[in-house]
Amino acid sequence: MSAYNFAYLDEQTKRMIRRALLKAVAIPGYQVPFASREMPMPYGWGTGGVQVTASTLVPEDRLKVIDQGADDTTNAVSIRRFFEVTAGVETTTEADRATVIQTRHRIPETPLQEGQIIVYQVPIPEPLRFLEPRETETRKMHSLGEYGLMHVKLYEDIARHGEIATTYAYPVRVGKSYVMDPSPIPKFDNPKLNGSPAIQLFGAGREQRIYALPPWTPVKSLDFEDYPFDPSRAAGQCALCGSTSSYLDEVITDDSGGRMFLCSDTDYCARRVQEGA
Amino acid sequence: MTAMLKISGVSKSFTLHNQAGVKIPVMSEAHLSVSAGECIALVGPSGAGKSTLMRMAYGNYLVDAGEIWVGDVCLSSASPRDILMLRRQTLGYVSQFLRVVPRVPTTEVVAEPLLALGVEREVAHERAITLLKALNIPQRLWSLSPMTFSGGEQQRVNIARGFIHTYPVLLLDEPTASLDAENRAVVLSLIEQARARGAAILGIFHDEAAREQVCTGEIDVSQFL
Amino acid sequence: MNPILRATGITRRYGERIGCADIGFDLYPGEVMGIVGESGSGKSTLLNCLAGQLTPDAGSILFDSAQQGVCDLLTLSEMQRRTLARTELAFVHQNPRDGLRMSVSAGGNVGERLMGVGARHYANIREQALSWLERVEIPADRIDDRPSQFSGGMQQRLQIARNLVTGPRLVFMDEPTGGLDVSVQARLLDLLRGLVRQMGLSAIVVTHDLAVVRLLADRILVMKDGQVIEAGLTDQVLDDPHHAYTQLLVASVLQA
């Protein structure tokens, strides 16, 4: 595979991205700009995550890639193959055996461990963007810690729906400083961000931003005193493994309203089935 | 007796910059003083400067020379802020024109001077209603804006506004003009009550009988031209 | 009593042109000052300098802050200045679109300043928003509607509520009754007068409408070509104008 440099990107680019990553880890939750490269896939397919993964990988790594929790969807399979070809690293679907996990929209059910790196694909890194379109202004708001606006969004939710209706990309406060978009993970996964033993890296390719949470960083989901954060999940049971605590996908089975729930984390589910749970 | 209002050596002219800079002298070396309990009438032919003198005494016109004292404040050299305070607390003015925010109810218009002094809303409104009643403004009009009223009604609203606070110094510009006999009598008795409580009053009264009844002295303004 | 705002030597140039030159005044608590003049006279430049939206080339603006004591608005750190702008200062724009979030409900618009200073109790925020909507005569059942569904007068009243909810001490207003129908203007003026009196607000109001300034302002500055050419008690300046330009301005008002 000598046609490619290790992990596709040239060494200069990886060095540039690593510098951004180091800065991001040093300032948890702060969005570090980086010179995002063209990747052999369209924006929105994880170009940010792929560049971060490429800059993080070493030949000894074992990579897992998931899309909405699943190892077997097109996006996950393609990215896994991409790194098999360009980096020649070992891949796995088992969360606890992976050293690097690239993910779109989920955090594995299996608790992350010290030494692991999880890379999130991020479409829009700026949590204030939908309320304040000016980048100059949002940067200022971050630097001055003016986050009242974030609560305006939650206020609007309650006023309109009677509860905080934001169910994914639920904003969090990192320590006592930056407010951060956790990428479009379900709010069910938000508690896993808090005090995680793994290094958490976030890459937004189109928006050219990298941010990070070093291990053990306190992360709090925003809420109101009288409307506390609630990491709810569908009230149901996985039809395959019977789990009542995992995050479930709803699957429509026929045209007459038949449906069932399945774990969105395929690795977790398969292993429970195997263990005869 | 101490002079509550003292005008000394006051001169005034208007320069019309947009009409070839014409300078119109209207008054020179005006002198007068009004003590507590006095009511002095300004007399003289139309155009002699009665209204101009009243306006200067209220700080509405500047003076070119001389001084005007209200109590122990030199009005003619006071800052806008001091003049406003003086107008709130000491110096009342009943003009011939009613100038109010459109659509504000009459009771509110009348009560405003008291509200500005920080008097409680209910007390101020009660006092306003008492005056409106005394001045025969029908109750159905109280909640309407006085801008829609007849000339005589507007004049009485103006008077109610001017007498709601016990100003130590009062300036009255034709208070009885366009009033019928009954209301004229009410206004004159208000003036007499004000005098009796020790107000110093300067007024313009074309109504000679009224002047006879309430005034303690006269000053012919034409002598100052 | 100390002035709440003391401006000295405020100068702002646009290249060779002068926006406003060497302007100074004291504003006392509870006082409303009007700034009048035609467009291009520098009144908006001055207001924007005072309100921190433009940086003057020279001058100082001392503000008597309840939290920070007397401070120069021009040398404060941006953080301190923006904190003041959310708490003790307020700015009412001519166009409500500039002062409101059009995609956020009326309640959210009013609540934003509260949340900006740390309010985190939904029911309390909503209660305060409701009470302010009532004060500016917006029906309670419109609290969850967006301002884009409001009339111009309602939008302007909402902007006022949004600004006053944190109890500011000094309010800047740029043509607050500008784009409104005459009938709506009157109600807004009355509302502003009442609020100024009840809350003991100080205010600086820029307008070209002499009738508005007469009813709202205690005293005025008349500006022309970036200079203050006449200043004083509002009724005195309007009834006995001394400067040629002021005389022209007063004489040019159409009689209804």
Side-chain angles (χ1 to χ4, degrees), chain A residues 130-134 137 140-141 143-149 151-156 158-160 173 223-227, chain C residues 78-79 82-83 86 101 103-109 111-112 115-116 118-126 129 143-144 146:
Chain A
F130 288 106
L131 298 150
E132 176 51 68
R134 292 166 295 178
E137 185 64 16
K140 202 166 274 175
M141 291 161 83
S143 67
L144 300 177
E146 283 181 10
Y147 290 130
L149 197 53
H151 274 83
V152 173
K153 184 175 184 296
L154 303 181
Y155 169 95
E156 291 291 284
I158 302 173
R160 204 155 297 151
R173 184 113 194 217
D223 59 4
F224 286 103
E225 288 156 16
D226 47 345
Y227 284 85
Chain C
E78 181 159 34
M79 192 167 189
R82 285 174 70 119
T83 303
R86 279 201 302 275
R101 288 189 194 279
S103 60
V104 167
S105 71
N109 264 290
E112 182 178 341
M115 293 181 247
R120 292 291 179 266
H121 193 282
Y122 175 83
N124 292 352
I125 293 166
R126 200 164 168 84
I143 186 170
D144 293 330
R146 294 180 178 179

Coordinates of all heavy atoms in Angstrom, one line a residue, chain A residues 130-134 137 140-141 143-149 151-156 158-160 173 223-227, chain C residues 78-79 82-83 86 101 103-109 111-112 115-116 118-126 129 143-144 146:
Chain A
F130 N -27.6 28.4 15.8 CA -29.0 28.6 15.3 C -29.6 29.8 16.0 O -30.7 30.3 15.5 CB -29.8 27.4 15.6 CG -29.4 26.3 14.7 CD1 -28.7 25.2 15.1 CD2 -29.8 26.3 13.3 CE1 -28.3 24.2 14.3 CE2 -29.4 25.3 12.5 CZ -28.6 24.2 13.0
L131 N -29.0 30.4 17.0 CA -29.6 31.5 17.7 C -28.8 32.8 17.3 O -29.4 33.9 17.3 CB -29.5 31.4 19.2 CG -30.3 30.2 19.7 CD1 -29.7 29.6 21.0 CD2 -31.7 30.6 20.0
E132 N -27.5 32.6 17.0 CA -26.7 33.8 16.6 C -25.9 33.4 15.4 O -24.9 32.7 15.5 CB -25.8 34.2 17.8 CG -24.9 35.3 17.5 CD -25.6 36.5 17.0 OE1 -26.3 37.2 17.7 OE2 -25.3 36.8 15.8
P133 N -26.3 33.9 14.3 CA -25.6 33.5 13.0 C -24.2 34.1 12.8 O -23.5 33.5 12.1 CB -26.6 34.0 11.9 CG -27.4 35.1 12.6 CD -27.5 34.7 14.0
R134 N -23.9 35.2 13.5 CA -22.6 35.8 13.3 C -21.5 35.1 14.1 O -21.5 35.0 15.3 CB -22.6 37.3 13.7 CG -23.5 38.1 12.9 CD -23.7 39.5 13.5 NE -24.5 39.3 14.8 CZ -24.8 40.3 15.6 NH1 -24.4 41.5 15.3 NH2 -25.5 40.1 16.7
E137 N -19.7 37.2 16.6 CA -20.4 37.4 17.8 C -20.4 36.1 18.7 O -20.2 36.2 19.9 CB -21.9 37.7 17.5 CG -22.8 38.1 18.7 CD -22.3 39.3 19.4 OE1 -21.5 40.1 18.9 OE2 -22.8 39.5 20.6
K140 N -17.2 35.8 20.5 CA -17.1 36.8 21.6 C -17.9 36.2 22.8 O -17.5 36.3 23.9 CB -17.7 38.1 21.1 CG -17.2 39.3 22.0 CD -17.5 40.6 21.2 CE -16.4 41.0 20.3 NZ -16.8 42.2 19.5
M141 N -19.1 35.6 22.5 CA -19.9 35.1 23.5 C -19.2 34.0 24.3 O -19.2 33.9 25.5 CB -21.2 34.6 23.0 CG -22.1 35.7 22.5 SD -23.4 35.2 21.3 CE -24.6 34.7 22.5
S143 N -15.9 33.7 24.5 CA -14.7 34.2 25.2 C -15.2 34.9 26.5 O -14.4 35.0 27.5 CB -13.9 35.1 24.3 OG -14.6 36.3 24.0
L144 N -16.4 35.5 26.5 CA -16.9 36.2 27.7 C -17.8 35.3 28.5 O -18.3 35.8 29.5 CB -17.6 37.5 27.3 CG -16.8 38.5 26.5 CD1 -17.6 39.7 26.0 CD2 -15.6 38.9 27.3
G145 N -18.0 34.1 28.1 CA -18.9 33.2 28.8 C -20.4 33.7 28.9 O -21.1 33.5 29.9
E146 N -20.8 34.4 27.8 CA -22.2 34.9 27.7 C -23.1 33.8 27.2 O -23.3 33.7 26.0 CB -22.3 36.1 26.8 CG -21.8 37.3 27.5 CD -21.9 38.5 26.6 OE1 -22.5 38.5 25.5 OE2 -21.3 39.6 26.9
Y147 N -23.6 33.0 28.1 CA -24.4 31.8 27.6 C -25.9 31.9 27.9 O -26.6 30.9 27.8 CB -23.8 30.5 28.2 CG -22.4 30.2 27.6 CD1 -21.3 29.9 28.4 CD2 -22.2 30.2 26.2 CE1 -20.1 29.6 27.9 CE2 -21.0 29.9 25.7 CZ -19.9 29.6 26.5 OH -18.7 29.3 26.0
G148 N -26.4 33.1 28.2 CA -27.8 33.2 28.4 C -28.6 32.7 27.2 O -29.7 32.1 27.4
L149 N -28.1 33.0 26.1 CA -28.8 32.6 24.8 C -29.1 31.1 24.7 O -30.1 30.7 24.2 CB -28.0 33.1 23.7 CG -28.6 33.2 22.3 CD1 -29.9 34.1 22.4 CD2 -27.7 33.8 21.3
H151 N -29.8 29.2 27.1 CA -31.0 28.9 27.8 C -32.2 29.4 27.2 O -33.3 28.9 27.4 CB -30.8 29.4 29.3 CG -30.1 28.4 30.2 ND1 -28.8 28.3 30.2 CD2 -30.6 27.5 31.0 CE1 -28.4 27.4 31.1 NE2 -29.5 26.8 31.6
V152 N -32.1 30.4 26.3 CA -33.2 30.9 25.6 C -33.8 29.8 24.7 O -35.0 29.5 24.6 CB -32.9 32.1 24.7 CG1 -34.0 32.5 23.8 CG2 -32.5 33.3 25.6
K153 N -32.9 29.0 24.1 CA -33.2 27.9 23.3 C -34.0 26.9 24.1 O -35.1 26.4 23.7 CB -32.0 27.3 22.7 CG -32.3 26.1 21.7 CD -30.9 25.7 21.1 CE -31.1 24.6 20.0 NZ -31.7 23.4 20.5
L154 N -33.5 26.5 25.3 CA -34.2 25.6 26.1 C -35.6 26.1 26.6 O -36.6 25.4 26.7 CB -33.3 25.2 27.3 CG -32.0 24.6 27.0 CD1 -31.2 24.3 28.3 CD2 -32.1 23.4 26.1
Y155 N -35.6 27.5 26.9 CA -36.8 28.1 27.3 C -37.9 28.0 26.2 O -39.0 27.6 26.5 CB -36.6 29.6 27.6 CG -37.9 30.4 27.7 CD1 -38.4 30.7 29.0 CD2 -38.6 30.9 26.6 CE1 -39.6 31.3 29.1 CE2 -39.8 31.5 26.7 CZ -40.3 31.8 28.0 OH -41.5 32.5 28.1
E156 N -37.4 28.2 25.0 CA -38.3 28.1 23.8 C -38.9 26.7 23.7 O -40.1 26.5 23.4 CB -37.6 28.4 22.5 CG -37.2 29.9 22.4 CD -38.4 30.8 22.2 OE1 -39.0 30.8 21.1 OE2 -38.8 31.4 23.2
I158 N -39.4 24.5 26.2 CA -40.4 24.3 27.3 C -41.7 25.1 26.9 O -42.8 24.5 27.1 CB -39.9 24.7 28.6 CG1 -38.6 23.9 29.0 CG2 -40.9 24.4 29.7 CD1 -37.9 24.4 30.2
A159 N -41.5 26.3 26.5 CA -42.7 27.1 26.2 C -43.5 26.5 25.1 O -44.8 26.5 25.1 CB -42.3 28.5 25.7
R160 N -42.9 25.9 24.1 CA -43.6 25.3 23.0 C -44.1 23.9 23.2 O -45.1 23.5 22.8 CB -42.7 25.4 21.7 CG -43.5 25.4 20.4 CD -42.6 26.0 19.3 NE -42.4 27.4 19.6 CZ -41.3 28.1 19.1 NH1 -40.4 27.4 18.4 NH2 -41.1 29.3 19.4
R173 N -22.1 22.1 29.2 CA -21.1 23.0 29.7 C -19.9 22.2 30.2 O -20.1 21.2 30.9 CB -21.7 23.8 30.9 CG -20.7 24.9 31.4 CD -21.3 26.2 31.1 NE -20.3 27.3 31.2 CZ -20.6 28.5 31.8 NH1 -21.8 28.7 32.2 NH2 -19.7 29.4 31.8
D223 N -29.7 22.9 31.8 CA -31.1 22.7 32.2 C -31.6 23.8 33.0 O -30.9 24.8 33.3 CB -31.3 21.4 32.9 CG -30.5 21.2 34.2 OD1 -29.9 22.2 34.6 OD2 -30.6 20.1 34.8
F224 N -32.8 23.8 33.4 CA -33.4 24.7 34.4 C -33.6 24.0 35.7 O -33.8 22.8 35.8 CB -34.8 25.2 33.9 CG -34.7 26.2 32.8 CD1 -35.0 25.8 31.5 CD2 -34.3 27.5 33.0 CE1 -34.9 26.7 30.4 CE2 -34.2 28.4 32.0 CZ -34.5 28.0 30.7
E225 N -33.6 24.9 36.8 CA -33.8 24.3 38.1 C -35.1 23.5 38.2 O -35.2 22.4 38.8 CB -33.8 25.4 39.2 CG -32.4 26.0 39.4 CD -32.5 27.4 40.0 OE1 -33.6 27.8 40.5 OE2 -31.5 28.1 39.9
D226 N -36.1 24.0 37.6 CA -37.4 23.4 37.7 C -37.7 22.5 36.5 O -38.8 21.9 36.4 CB -38.6 24.4 37.9 CG -38.5 25.6 36.9 OD1 -37.4 25.7 36.3 OD2 -39.5 26.3 36.8
Y227 N -36.8 22.4 35.5 CA -36.9 21.4 34.4 C -35.5 20.7 34.3 O -34.8 21.0 33.3 CB -37.3 22.1 33.1 CG -38.7 22.4 33.0 CD1 -39.2 23.6 33.6 CD2 -39.7 21.6 32.5 CE1 -40.6 23.9 33.6 CE2 -41.0 21.9 32.4 CZ -41.5 23.0 33.0 OH -42.8 23.3 32.9
Chain C
E78 N -14.0 44.7 27.8 CA -15.2 44.4 27.0 C -16.2 43.6 27.9 O -17.4 43.8 27.8 CB -14.8 43.6 25.8 CG -16.1 43.2 25.0 CD -15.7 42.9 23.5 OE1 -14.7 42.3 23.3 OE2 -16.6 43.2 22.7
M79 N -15.7 42.7 28.7 CA -16.5 41.9 29.6 C -17.4 42.8 30.5 O -18.6 42.6 30.6 CB -15.7 40.9 30.3 CG -16.5 39.8 31.0 SD -15.4 38.5 31.6 CE -16.5 37.3 32.0
R82 N -20.0 44.7 28.5 CA -21.1 43.9 28.0 C -22.0 43.5 29.2 O -23.2 43.3 29.1 CB -20.6 42.7 27.3 CG -20.2 43.1 25.9 CD -19.5 42.0 25.1 NE -20.5 40.9 24.7 CZ -20.7 40.6 23.4 NH1 -20.1 41.2 22.5 NH2 -21.5 39.6 23.2
T83 N -21.3 43.3 30.4 CA -22.1 43.0 31.6 C -23.0 44.2 31.9 O -24.2 44.1 32.2 CB -21.2 42.7 32.8 OG1 -20.4 41.6 32.4 CG2 -22.0 42.3 34.0
R86 N -26.0 44.5 29.7 CA -27.1 43.6 30.0 C -27.8 43.9 31.2 O -28.9 43.4 31.5 CB -26.5 42.1 30.2 CG -26.2 41.4 28.9 CD -26.2 39.9 29.2 NE -25.2 39.6 30.2 CZ -23.9 39.3 30.0 NH1 -23.5 39.4 28.8 NH2 -23.1 39.0 31.0
R101 N -35.0 39.3 18.9 CA -34.7 38.1 18.2 C -36.0 37.6 17.5 O -37.0 37.2 18.2 CB -34.2 37.0 19.1 CG -32.8 37.3 19.5 CD -32.2 36.2 20.3 NE -31.0 36.7 20.9 CZ -29.8 36.9 20.4 NH1 -29.7 36.6 19.1 NH2 -28.8 37.4 21.0
S103 N -36.9 35.2 15.7 CA -37.2 33.8 15.7 C -37.5 33.2 17.1 O -37.7 32.0 17.2 CB -36.1 33.0 15.0 OG -34.9 33.1 15.7
V104 N -37.4 34.1 18.1 CA -37.6 33.6 19.5 C -38.9 34.2 20.0 O -39.3 35.3 19.6 CB -36.4 34.0 20.3 CG1 -36.7 33.9 21.8 CG2 -35.2 33.3 19.9
S105 N -39.7 33.5 20.7 CA -41.0 33.9 21.2 C -40.9 35.2 22.0 O -39.8 35.6 22.5 CB -41.7 32.8 22.1 OG -41.0 32.7 23.3
A106 N -42.0 35.9 22.2 CA -42.0 37.1 23.0 C -41.5 36.8 24.4 O -40.6 37.6 24.9 CB -43.4 37.6 23.1
G107 N -41.9 35.7 25.0 CA -41.4 35.4 26.4 C -39.9 35.2 26.4 O -39.2 35.6 27.3
G108 N -39.4 34.5 25.4 CA -38.0 34.2 25.3 C -37.2 35.5 25.1 O -36.1 35.7 25.7
N109 N -37.8 36.4 24.3 CA -37.1 37.7 24.1 C -37.0 38.5 25.4 O -35.9 39.1 25.7 CB -37.9 38.6 23.1 CG -37.4 38.4 21.7 OD1 -36.3 38.9 21.4 ND2 -38.1 37.7 20.8
G111 N -37.2 37.1 28.4 CA -36.4 36.3 29.4 C -34.9 36.3 29.1 O -34.1 36.0 30.0
E112 N -34.5 36.7 27.9 CA -33.1 36.5 27.5 C -32.2 37.3 28.5 O -31.1 36.7 28.9 CB -32.8 37.0 26.1 CG -31.4 36.7 25.7 CD -31.0 37.1 24.3 OE1 -31.9 37.2 23.5 OE2 -29.8 37.3 24.0
M115 N -31.9 35.4 31.7 CA -31.1 34.3 31.6 C -29.6 34.7 31.5 O -28.7 34.0 31.9 CB -31.5 33.4 30.5 CG -32.9 32.8 30.8 SD -33.5 31.7 29.4 CE -34.9 32.6 28.8
G116 N -29.4 35.8 30.8 CA -28.1 36.3 30.6 C -27.4 36.7 31.9 O -26.2 36.8 32.0
G118 N -28.1 35.0 34.7 CA -28.0 33.8 35.5 C -29.3 33.2 36.0 O -29.3 32.3 36.7
A119 N -30.4 33.8 35.5 CA -31.7 33.2 36.0 C -31.8 31.8 35.4 O -31.6 31.6 34.2 CB -32.9 34.0 35.5
R120 N -32.1 30.8 36.2 CA -32.2 29.4 35.7 C -33.4 28.7 36.2 O -33.4 27.5 36.4 CB -30.9 28.6 36.2 CG -29.6 29.1 35.6 CD -29.5 28.7 34.1 NE -28.3 29.2 33.5 CZ -28.1 30.3 32.9 NH1 -29.2 31.2 32.8 NH2 -27.0 30.7 32.4
H121 N -34.5 29.5 36.5 CA -35.7 28.9 37.0 C -36.8 29.2 36.0 O -37.2 30.4 35.9 CB -36.0 29.3 38.4 CG -37.1 28.6 39.0 ND1 -38.5 28.7 38.7 CD2 -37.1 27.6 40.0 CE1 -39.2 27.9 39.4 NE2 -38.4 27.2 40.2
Y122 N -37.2 28.2 35.2 CA -38.2 28.5 34.1 C -39.4 29.3 34.6 O -39.8 30.3 34.0 CB -38.5 27.2 33.4 CG -39.6 27.4 32.3 CD1 -39.2 27.8 31.1 CD2 -40.9 27.1 32.6 CE1 -40.1 27.9 30.1 CE2 -41.9 27.3 31.6 CZ -41.5 27.7 30.3 OH -42.4 27.9 29.3
A123 N -40.0 28.8 35.6 CA -41.3 29.3 36.0 C -41.1 30.8 36.5 O -42.0 31.7 36.1 CB -41.9 28.5 37.2
N124 N -40.0 31.1 37.1 CA -39.8 32.5 37.6 C -39.6 33.4 36.4 O -40.0 34.5 36.3 CB -38.6 32.6 38.5 CG -38.8 31.9 39.8 OD1 -39.9 31.5 40.1 ND2 -37.8 31.8 40.6
I125 N -38.8 32.9 35.4 CA -38.5 33.7 34.2 C -39.8 34.0 33.5 O -40.0 35.1 33.1 CB -37.5 32.9 33.3 CG1 -36.2 32.8 33.9 CG2 -37.4 33.6 31.9 CD1 -35.2 31.8 33.3
R126 N -40.6 33.0 33.4 CA -41.9 33.1 32.6 C -42.8 34.1 33.4 O -43.5 34.9 32.8 CB -42.6 31.8 32.5 CG -43.6 31.7 31.4 CD -43.9 30.3 31.1 NE -45.1 30.3 30.2 CZ -45.0 30.4 28.9 NH1 -43.9 30.7 28.3 NH2 -46.1 30.4 28.2
A129 N -41.6 37.5 32.7 CA -41.9 37.9 31.3 C -43.4 38.3 31.2 O -43.7 39.3 30.6 CB -41.6 36.7 30.4
I143 N -47.7 35.4 24.6 CA -46.3 35.2 25.2 C -45.5 34.2 24.4 O -44.3 34.3 24.3 CB -46.3 34.8 26.7 CG1 -44.9 34.7 27.3 CG2 -47.1 33.5 26.9 CD1 -44.9 34.6 28.8
D144 N -46.2 33.2 23.8 CA -45.4 32.2 23.0 C -45.4 32.5 21.5 O -44.9 31.7 20.7 CB -46.0 30.8 23.3 CG -45.7 30.4 24.7 OD1 -44.7 30.9 25.3 OD2 -46.6 29.7 25.3
R146 N -44.1 34.6 18.1 CA -42.9 35.3 17.7 C -43.2 36.7 17.4 O -44.3 37.0 16.9 CB -42.3 34.5 16.6 CG -41.8 33.2 17.0 CD -41.2 32.4 15.8 NE -40.8 31.1 16.3 CZ -40.2 30.2 15.5 NH1 -40.0 30.4 14.3 NH2 -39.8 29.1 16.1

